[in-house]
Amino acid sequence: MSKVVADISVSLDGYVTGPDPGLEHGLGTGGELLHAWARQPTDVDARVLGGAVRATGAVIMGRRTFDVVDGPYGWGDPLGYGSAREQAQAPPVFVVTHAPPSAVRRPELFTFVTDGPAAAVEHARTVAGDGDIVIMGGADLIGQATDEGLLDELRLHLVPLLLGAGTRLFAQVRPRQWEPVETHFSPLATHLTYRAIT
């Protein structure tokens, strides 16, 4: 059965965006450095990213994340899931939202789920095969998935950056213990994988 994995870059002070994220600057002011490890990777970063992308069978994201990636400065060849990779083989993406948008730039890629994160996971299982179901953000959706006990693993890419403000990861979640299972170091990020303890 597929693993459900939250996978996100986070600053040392716990932010997944800088201040004022929006369509033009999806990661907020100064937040673009959160993804430097994926856009200009070292050998270590490239191995981590490549392994995660190859293992992905389906992706889940929240509506605010979708609005950025489907916006004018978002995904498109060659930039998309997995950073600058061939997007013809991109995994299907399920967007958790209260209301689907009226227009979608890449409708072949996105499916909208209006009945919550657990339903999105079930939809993703139908297409993921043995691949991971990756919840890539945003922070609110990852927090909901954590609280609902949907996650098998948590992958954090800890970036040596202090943002001071922005969108905090795990701003409000119930306590839960995680077991560390894997760590990779590069100058751009410390890649941490944790397994949920049930």
Side-chain angles (χ1 to χ4, degrees), residues 67-125:
D67 287 342
V68 171
V69 302
D70 197 55
Y73 303 98
W75 288 358
D77 289 329
L79 183 63
Y81 182 73
S83 195
R85 294 178 174 268
E86 174 55 54
Q87 294 304 303
Q89 302 300 317
V93 179
F94 296 86
V95 180
V96 179
T97 182
H98 295 294
S102 57
V104 179
R105 188 166 50 90
R106 297 187 63 194
E108 75 285 356
L109 186 58
F110 299 102
T111 300
F112 298 91
V113 180
T114 58
D115 41 358
V121 167
E122 290 312 307
H123 286 292
R125 281 195 201 286

